[in-house]
């Protein structure tokens, strides 16, 4: 039986369901913009007169700006109030989106993307905190299920929407489409969101500077590493040194300062620490898959962009369905058993991908994608329930910010890791396969090749194309195998979490109204 406190939200709202819709809309446009620009980069490169290396700053600038602001979300929410910060962030995000849509050159685009990253940084962690605060604890599993739908489906449908807008209209519409959506979101938030000001606290400027510098250097390392051959270049060594030094200084500083940027109570919470590790690790697998699959489907199997998006959308459908089911079951089955089922399902779905071949049809792609999406829903919701069941109400925004930061960082590492492993494995596999192509096992006589001239050269080109295709497929399978091991190794950590307690009476009074 639920207690009376279970039916009382931390912050009263006149229309909590409608408010949730508008909050989730704000979160969704931010999540979509993190990936929607990927497919439009070639079109943007030509329009903005950028080089292949410099155009990547359109993505990198957004990620770095967002990563630098996320750690300060908890302090900003306490200082400004969650209502003012969320509405202001949506307004800034809309303004930056409009500026990105009219950018005339690359420097302008990068500057506006930085502004967009700053505006969008607080939307995910603050949106999660607002949803929890405006719903009673007994409704938190269902509330987190709806939040997780937007967070997990967004990266899947972002490239699809971006590709469709770019092909049928113009790449600028991937930014301008945020304006009508954001306008509706702003009106709804202004009318429905109650004031939620909490007690201001001192801002750890030194800690924020250290972690911001560390995150910026680390993101630069991940983005530039493949272009400059990683640690064979001085640039990567400098970036790695700056990142490690800044993170080390942040840890030492946080241990001795009275009011650290990340409250010490969070780091002492076992569920929070383990949940953050899970978010980090699972983001590696999720974003690595999203980075590899479109390339594989279009280059090896010849699927057009729209068909690729439709096939990948099956995992998004599975996420939505499984989150709804998990929201119903988590209170009956328990969060730990449900998450364990999801982790096993995730590992199995990635293991299925290691058995793919060049002569398969769409079936294995759809099946593994659906299983992986269903597993993600079974993982993210129970993990969120486990993490926030032991976090005091006044630390929810800080906790959401840190877990979002871990998730974003894991995604960046996953993309950089599979990109590097994939590129190098193609070269290794090509060399191994080519070593077995000798004059004695060629489909045609080498002497005949020389006599046929251009026709013979074309025949050898066909053979080389076959070798390249096989080598590429092997590289994909090696990357899938690495993802399988990552998802499998993290599973035992789930046994270390502890059952959450219901919120205490003092937690329900932690955030006073304005």
């Amino acid at each position: 039986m639920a207690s009376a406190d279970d039916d009382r939200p931390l912050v009263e709202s006149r229309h909590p369901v409608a408010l949730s819709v508008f909050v989730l809309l704000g979160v969704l446009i931010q999540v979509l913009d993190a990936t929607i620009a990927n497919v439009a980069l070639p079109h943007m490169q030509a329009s903005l007169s950028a080089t292949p290396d410099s155009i990547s700053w359109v993505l990198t600038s957004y990620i770095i700006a967002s990563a630098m602001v996320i750690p300060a979300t908890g302090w900003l929410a306490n200082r400004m109030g969650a209502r003012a910060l969320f509405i202001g962030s949506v307004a800034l995000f809309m303004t930056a989106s409009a500026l990105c849509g009219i950018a005339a050159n690359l420097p302008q685009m990068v500057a506006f993307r930085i502004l967009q990253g700053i505006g969008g940084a607080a939307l995910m962690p603050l949106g999660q905190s607002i949803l929890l605060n405006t719903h009673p604890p007994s409704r938190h599993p269902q509330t987190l299920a709806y939040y997780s739908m937007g967070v997990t489906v967004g990266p899947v449908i972002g490239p699809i929407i971006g590709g469709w807008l770019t092909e049928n209209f113009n790449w600028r519409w991937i930014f301008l489409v945020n304006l009508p959506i954001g306008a509706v979101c702003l009106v709804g938030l202004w009318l429905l969101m109650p004031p939620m000001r909490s007690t201001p606290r001192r801002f750890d400027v030194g800690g924020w500077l250290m972690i911001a510098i560390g995150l910026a250097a680390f993101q630069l390392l991940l983005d530039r590493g493949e272009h400059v051959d990683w640690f064979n270049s001085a640039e990567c060594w400098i970036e790695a040194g700056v990142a490690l030094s800044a993170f080390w200084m942040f840890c030492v500083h946080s241990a001795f300062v009275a009011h650290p940027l990340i409250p010490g109570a969070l780091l002492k919470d076992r569920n929070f620490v383990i949940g953050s590790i899970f978010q980090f690790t699972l983001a590696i697998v999720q974003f690595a898959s999203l980075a590899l699959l479109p390339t594989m489907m279009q280059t090896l199997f010849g699927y057009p962009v729209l068909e690729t998006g439709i096939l990948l959308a099956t995992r998004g459908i599975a996420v939505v369905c499984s989150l709804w089911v998990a929201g119903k079951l988590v209170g009956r089955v328990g969060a730990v058993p449900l998450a364990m089922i999801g982790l096993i399902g995730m590992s199995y779905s990635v293991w299925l991908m290691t058995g793919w071949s060049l002569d398969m049809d769409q079936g294995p792609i759809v099946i593994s994608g659906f299983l992986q999406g269903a597993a993600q829903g079974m993982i993210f919701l129970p993990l969120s329930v486990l993490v926030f069941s032991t976090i005091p109400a006044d630390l929810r925004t800080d906790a959401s910010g840190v877990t979002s930061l871990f998730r974003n960082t894991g995604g960046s590492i996953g993309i950089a890791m599979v990109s590097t492993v994939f590129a190098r494995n193609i070269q290794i596999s090509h060399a191994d396969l080519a070593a077995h192509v000798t004059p004695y096992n060629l489909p045609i006589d080498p002497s005949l090749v020389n006599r046929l001239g251009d026709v013979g050269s074309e025949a050898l080109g066909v053979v080389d194309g076959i070798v390249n295709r096989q080598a590429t497929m092997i590289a994909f399978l090696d990357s899938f195998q690495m993802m399988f091991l990552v998802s499998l190794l993290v599973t035992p950590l789930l046994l270390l979490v502890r059952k959450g307690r219901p919120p205490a009476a003092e937690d329900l009074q932690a955030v006073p109204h304005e």
Side-chain angles (χ1 to χ4, degrees), residues 281-306:
T281 307
L282 296 174
I284 292 177
V285 177
Q286 181 189 11
F287 283 87
S289 298
L290 294 176
L292 288 177
L293 289 176
T295 303
M296 185 195 71
M297 294 169 65
Q298 293 177 46
T299 58
L300 285 184
F301 295 97
Y303 294 124
V305 175
L306 185 58

Side-chain angles (χ1 to χ4, degrees), residues 29 32-41 43-44 58-59 93 97-98 100-101 109 113 116 158-167 169-179 181:
I29 60 174
L32 285 176
D33 255 58
T35 57
I36 198 172
N38 295 38
V39 295
L41 287 183
H43 301 270
M44 297 170 66
V58 174
L59 304 179
F93 190 85
S97 297
C100 288
M109 175 60 75
R113 283 286 278 177
Q116 194 181 38
I160 301 172
I161 297 175
W164 184 81
L165 290 173
T166 302
E167 286 189 356
F169 298 96
N170 186 283
W171 66 263
R172 297 183 183 275
W173 278 99
I174 65 177
F175 300 110
L176 297 178
V177 74
N178 291 330
L179 299 183
I181 300 174

Side-chain angles (χ1 to χ4, degrees), residues 277-278 281-282 343 485-494:
I277 294 173
F278 268 110
T281 307
L282 296 174
L343 287 166
L485 294 175
V486 170
S487 63
L488 193 65
L489 290 175
V490 75
T491 303
L493 284 177
L494 194 60

Side-chain angles (χ1 to χ4, degrees), residues 216-297:
F218 184 63
Q219 291 290 349
L220 280 174
L221 172 65
L222 294 177
D223 182 72
R224 295 280 301 160
E226 183 65 25
H227 298 289
V228 297
D229 198 19
W230 292 101
F231 291 102
N232 289 324
S233 69
E235 177 185 339
C236 283
W237 281 107
I238 293 173
E239 290 163 353
V242 171
L244 287 173
S245 300
F247 288 143
W248 172 252
M249 292 170 64
F250 172 77
C251 293
V252 174
H253 171 86
S254 299
F256 294 99
V257 73
H259 302 281
L261 183 67
I262 300 177
L266 291 180
L267 301 179
K268 295 176 183 177
D269 189 292
R270 186 169 66 188
N271 281 16
F272 172 78
V273 173
I274 295 175
S276 298
I277 294 173
F278 268 110
Q279 291 278 10
F280 174 83
T281 307
L282 296 174
I284 292 177
V285 177
Q286 181 189 11
F287 283 87
S289 298
L290 294 176
L292 288 177
L293 289 176
T295 303
M296 185 195 71
M297 294 169 65

